Amino acid sequence: MALSSQSYKGTRDFYPQDMAIRRWMFDRMRQVIQRYGYLEYDGPLLEPFDLFAAKTGEEIVNQQLYWLIDRGGRKLAIRPEMTPTLARMVAARFHELAKPIRWFSIPNLWRYERPQRGRLREHWQLNVDVLGGDPLLADAEILTLAVDLMKTFGGEQNAIIKVNNRKLIDHFFGNVLGLSADAALKIVKVLDAKAKIGEEAYKAVLDGIGISADQKDKMEKFFSSSFADVSRAFKCVGTDELNALFDFLAQSGVKGESVVFDPTVMRGMDYYTGTVFEMYDTSPDNRRAIFGGGRYDNLLAIFGNYKLSGVGFGLGDVTMQNFLETHGLLPKIEPSIDVFIALPAAKYRLAAEQVACLSRNEGLSVITPLGVDGFSQQLKLAVKHGAKFVVLFGEAEFAEGKAIIKDLLTATQEVCVISGLHLRLKELAVAKAKGG
Amino acid sequence: MALSSQSYKGTRDFYPQDMAIRRWMFDRMRQVIQRYGYLEYDGPLLEPFDLFAAKTGEEIVNQQLYWLIDRGGRKLAIRPEMTPTLARMVAARFHELAKPIRWFSIPNLWRYERPQRGRLREHWQLNVDVLGGDPLLADAEILTLAVDLMKTFGGEQNAIIKVNNRKLIDHFFGNVLGLSADAALKIVKVLDAKAKIGEEAYKAVLDGIGISADQKDKMEKFFSSSFADVSRAFKCVGTDELNALFDFLAQSGVKGESVVFDPTVMRGMDYYTGTVFEMYDTSPDNRRAIFGGGRYDNLLAIFGNYKLSGVGFGLGDVTMQNFLETHGLLPKIEPSIDVFIALPAAKYRLAAEQVACLSRNEGLSVITPLGVDGFSQQLKLAVKHGAKFVVLFGEAEFAEGKAIIKDLLTATQEVCVISGLHLRLKELAVAKAKGG
């Protein structure tokens, strides 16, 4: 029986057109990141299961992890996120690495989820992190970089970064509401998932925890207040940190409308301890965060007595591409080559191959059709490949050791000796590059 | 208990220095490949288990595959090679895709093996394939491209491509030796693995199959003969194809010493049907093939009634890096940035951040230390980051709205107004780039 040619549910086949978009997106991001001096790293796709069990969060570990036992009996998981790998790598060379550590990576990640808009089972995610340094300066740098990423795509007007602080959340749920850490954690998780699970399920969880009417009132007030009101009513280390961050960002030139306070931003990961943030599309078409991140003070402690606070975010290709498409910010990326060498008869194939070889040595991109076909068929193929020039072998010219060069854009043509074709093609390509 | 900070056995953590090497290698390869007009594709990391069970070969499927059952009960495998995914993707859009199809990809692949020199459990592999076109022209193009890849690293003198043809192998084992297809396949597999399993185990398998003394003699003769002798003694479609290929390559300019006949080249995959080849390092330090590949006529048939022959190869990063290191062809890749902004006191941090922002907008790469520290400490950090210029804030200059720019290479310095620092730094960086 024939196998299905479909890819596994929730994954994508990247045909050249799709791959060109992915590469274009991440190459642009890489350019921005390099202006900040961040260095690229990578880690293994499979990690010990325990690495994620430690701090990644219950939902992901119990419901979404792809895991297996290897032939040596080791329990491994396909990484659902990159931060634990980053922490492991930093811990492994803790004393050698100069701080602050500024690293980025673009891994593919896996989560078992119901595939839906903005969320697939496999996605690629830009991860940007700083470990060490003054937390205020590092948080500000990461957010500035995030805004710069949106700017490079021309999307800064269509996106907003919502910022909160875990210390403020802890203060509010613990000190103000008087809830246990466990109950607070449950509420934080359900709040984080509220948009996903709906109002009904959200209320059911609150009732299950046994929240009083007074506590509900306070929660409502907290979640609907401006930052100024929250800062007054619930002043704590968290609000102090937020104030310092917003002040610093405003002074260093990041506009206030792109970074705002939002007390509902929680982030699902267990390891966040300070600033947390998410970037949202202003269009209702895309309800999922484009990216999210935060500060983690104690993540390295799972590997031993290492103390180094970090801050970072992850930006997925699926949500980013949705964002760019929604706002018309994704250019049409067409393949292009310099030269297409048409092959109207078998006797020209050696000459064609030699011209191709010599032209490639000149740095030109060259395609031959790898077979004999009619001229109009091959011209179609040349156009499909985005060729700038076509080399044509004709009976009369070939007898004189010559061939025709046709410029597909201007539809002009010239005759050239075959032994000099590669040099002439190079000249023409350089001239065209300068002209356009 | 603390978790281990070591990566899973047989995998690598790519610290920035390692990642820079991987990126440098594949970026250079990508440049060469683009001269041939190949387009990049990618597919999911997990594929249905059956995709590999069909044609990948018994050893890999039964002993080396990482597989799991997902939460929906589907049996999936982490790809051990890319060709089945390529075939699946081509089958899925068979009628839309213009032929010949020239694609490449650089996936990470997994095999459960004993980690050793040249072979790890996770590696990255360049895959280059042509589907369609005249088989002779396509085989020649793929081999020419492979030689070009080695040339771009300056390694063409240290590597040799060994070529064989499955039709010749089938002819020899079937028609000449009179062995069943099953026995022939066993011998082909054990011959392919001979270097790995050793002479003893190899002989034991031959004895197990029940090879006669006469058959052994013929095998010895076959495997020690020159191509001219094999062509005469065992003339068949396979030798005809090889002759045509060697002739065409010689005429189109690929040197004979870099592509040679070798009857022992088999390739383990079940799907090869024509030309097969492997590239070897001439140094005895590296005994594993740097890359290997071949022609597959019937791979698409596992998805239905699709007829399209392909040829391609896979080149792994582990063997390639060993090759380059052995021959001193791997440059030392150091990180570098344009500007490092030193921060000797907290009062300068806002100015530092503003200069950083403005300079990044000019396209410069800029790092600040994210914290206050002594000048000599920060200068060390600047050198470590490979900075070209350092910006220094000093008490006296700052009072006049100025700061110092120090050129780390020439050890010269100048004073500049803070509001114009980014423009002056840009000028200096451009001048340095031109000068160097």
Side-chain angles (χ1 to χ4, degrees), chain A residues 238-251:
Chain A
T239 54
D240 290 348
E241 287 184 3
L242 282 169
N243 265 302
L245 179 62
F246 289 133
D247 282 353
F248 191 78
L249 283 174
Q251 288 176 315

Side-chain angles (χ1 to χ4, degrees), chain B residues 170-229:
Chain B
D170 291 348
H171 171 71
F172 174 72
F173 284 101
N175 302 342
V176 178
L177 294 192
L179 290 169
S180 71
D182 194 49
L185 189 66
K186 275 186 194 151
I187 294 179
V188 165
K189 296 252 165 171
V190 72
L191 276 166
D192 193 44
K194 193 177 167 187
K196 205 160 64 176
I197 62 173
E199 192 73 21
E200 293 286 309
Y202 164 69
K203 278 188 178 150
V205 173
L206 288 196
D207 290 343
I209 296 168
I211 302 292
S212 71
D214 176 55
Q215 287 170 321
K216 266 190 199 157
D217 279 355
K218 281 189 177 146
M219 273 176 62
E220 262 171 40
K221 190 188 154 202
F222 178 73
F223 287 116
S224 60
S225 294
S226 70
F227 181 57
D229 289 342

Side-chain angles (χ1 to χ4, degrees), chain A residues 184-237:
Chain A
L185 189 66
K186 275 186 193 151
I187 295 179
V188 165
K189 297 251 164 170
V190 74
L191 276 166
D192 192 45
K194 193 177 168 187
K196 202 160 64 177
I197 63 174
E199 192 73 22
E200 293 288 307
Y202 163 70
K203 276 187 178 153
V205 173
L206 288 196
D207 290 344
I209 297 168
I211 301 293
S212 71
D214 175 57
Q215 286 170 321
K216 267 190 197 156
D217 279 354
K218 279 186 178 149
M219 273 177 61
E220 265 171 39
K221 191 189 154 201
F222 177 73
F223 287 117
S224 59
S225 294
S226 69
F227 181 58
D229 289 342
V230 167
S231 285
R232 264 191 304 274
F234 309 106
K235 182 173 161 48
C236 63
V237 177

Side-chain angles (χ1 to χ4, degrees), chain A residues 239-380:
Chain A
T239 54
D240 290 348
E241 287 184 3
L242 282 169
N243 265 302
L245 179 62
F246 289 133
D247 282 353
F248 191 78
L249 283 174
Q251 288 176 315
S252 67
V254 176
K255 279 185 193 147
E257 61 263 37
S258 50
V259 182
V260 301
F261 171 68
D262 188 327
T264 67
V265 168
M266 302 284 169
R267 306 295 301 149
M269 305 304 178
D270 288 355
Y271 46 71
Y272 289 124
T273 50
T275 306
V276 285
F277 55 90
E278 289 177 337
M279 178 170 277
Y280 283 90
D281 193 338
T282 53
S283 160
D285 286 357
N286 301 309
R287 297 191 173 278
R288 288 191 174 275
I290 303 170
F291 65 79
R295 173 163 294 279
Y296 42 91
D297 280 339
N298 310 313
L299 186 51
L300 266 69
I302 62 178
F303 303 103
N305 191 25
Y306 302 110
K307 283 188 178 53
L308 188 66
S309 177
V311 61
F313 64 84
L315 181 161
D317 67 329
V318 181
T319 46
M320 188 67 183
Q321 191 171 338
N322 284 346
F323 170 77
L324 296 174
E325 277 167 356
T326 297
H327 300 287
L329 299 171
L330 207 56
K332 201 162 160 53
I333 304 170
E334 300 285 0
S336 86
I337 55 164
D338 295 308
V339 182
F340 184 95
I341 302 179
L343 208 57
K347 64 178 170 184
Y348 305 122
R349 67 184 188 183
L350 192 61
E353 195 57 32
Q354 284 167 342
V355 172
C357 269
L358 291 169
S359 302
R360 286 178 190 130
N361 288 346
E362 295 295 323
L364 299 174
S365 55
V366 185
I367 275 185
T368 62
L370 294 182
V372 173
D373 209 342
F375 174 62
S376 67
Q377 279 306 102
Q378 297 202 339
L379 195 64
K380 264 186 212 159

Side-chain angles (χ1 to χ4, degrees), chain B residues 111-129:
Chain B
R111 293 190 194 178
Y112 188 77
E113 296 189 90
R114 191 171 59 80
Q116 54 197 292
R117 181 166 177 86
R119 185 148 289 200
L120 295 172
R121 291 182 176 173
E122 180 182 48
H123 77 140
W124 275 255
Q125 190 188 61
L126 169 69
N127 277 253
V128 186
D129 287 85

Side-chain angles (χ1 to χ4, degrees), chain B residues 170-401:
Chain B
D170 291 348
H171 171 71
F172 174 72
F173 284 101
N175 302 342
V176 178
L177 294 192
L179 290 169
S180 71
D182 194 49
L185 189 66
K186 275 186 194 151
I187 294 179
V188 165
K189 296 252 165 171
V190 72
L191 276 166
D192 193 44
K194 193 177 167 187
K196 205 160 64 176
I197 62 173
E199 192 73 21
E200 293 286 309
Y202 164 69
K203 278 188 178 150
V205 173
L206 288 196
D207 290 343
I209 296 168
I211 302 292
S212 71
D214 176 55
Q215 287 170 321
K216 266 190 199 157
D217 279 355
K218 281 189 177 146
M219 273 176 62
E220 262 171 40
K221 190 188 154 202
F222 178 73
F223 287 116
S224 60
S225 294
S226 70
F227 181 57
D229 289 342
V230 166
S231 284
R232 263 191 304 273
F234 309 106
K235 182 174 161 53
C236 62
V237 177
T239 54
D240 290 349
E241 287 185 4
L242 283 169
N243 265 304
L245 179 63
F246 288 133
D247 281 354
F248 191 79
L249 283 175
Q251 288 176 313
S252 67
V254 176
K255 278 188 195 145
E257 61 264 38
S258 49
V259 182
V260 301
F261 171 68
D262 189 326
T264 67
V265 168
M266 304 282 169
R267 305 296 301 149
M269 305 304 178
D270 287 354
Y271 47 71
Y272 289 124
T273 49
T275 306
V276 283
F277 55 90
E278 289 178 337
M279 178 170 276
Y280 283 91
D281 193 335
T282 53
S283 159
D285 286 356
N286 301 308
R287 298 191 174 278
R288 289 191 171 275
I290 303 170
F291 64 77
R295 173 163 292 280
Y296 42 92
D297 280 339
N298 310 313
L299 186 52
L300 266 70
I302 63 178
F303 304 103
N305 190 25
Y306 302 111
K307 283 188 177 50
L308 189 65
S309 178
V311 61
F313 65 84
L315 180 161
D317 67 329
V318 181
T319 45
M320 188 67 182
Q321 192 171 335
N322 284 346
F323 171 77
L324 295 174
E325 278 168 356
T326 297
H327 299 287
L329 299 170
L330 207 56
K332 200 162 161 53
I333 304 169
E334 300 285 0
S336 85
I337 56 165
D338 295 308
V339 182
F340 184 96
I341 303 180
L343 208 57
K347 64 178 170 185
Y348 305 121
R349 68 183 188 183
L350 192 60
E353 195 57 33
Q354 284 168 341
V355 172
C357 270
L358 292 168
S359 301
R360 286 179 189 129
N361 288 346
E362 295 295 324
L364 299 174
S365 55
V366 184
I367 275 184
T368 62
L370 294 182
V372 174
D373 209 341
F375 174 62
S376 67
Q377 279 306 102
Q378 297 202 339
L379 195 65
K380 264 187 213 159
L381 214 51
V383 171
K384 200 156 194 164
H385 282 294
K388 296 184 187 74
F389 304 99
V390 178
V391 171
L392 299 169
F393 290 106
E395 194 75 50
E397 292 84 7
F398 195 69
E400 297 173 9

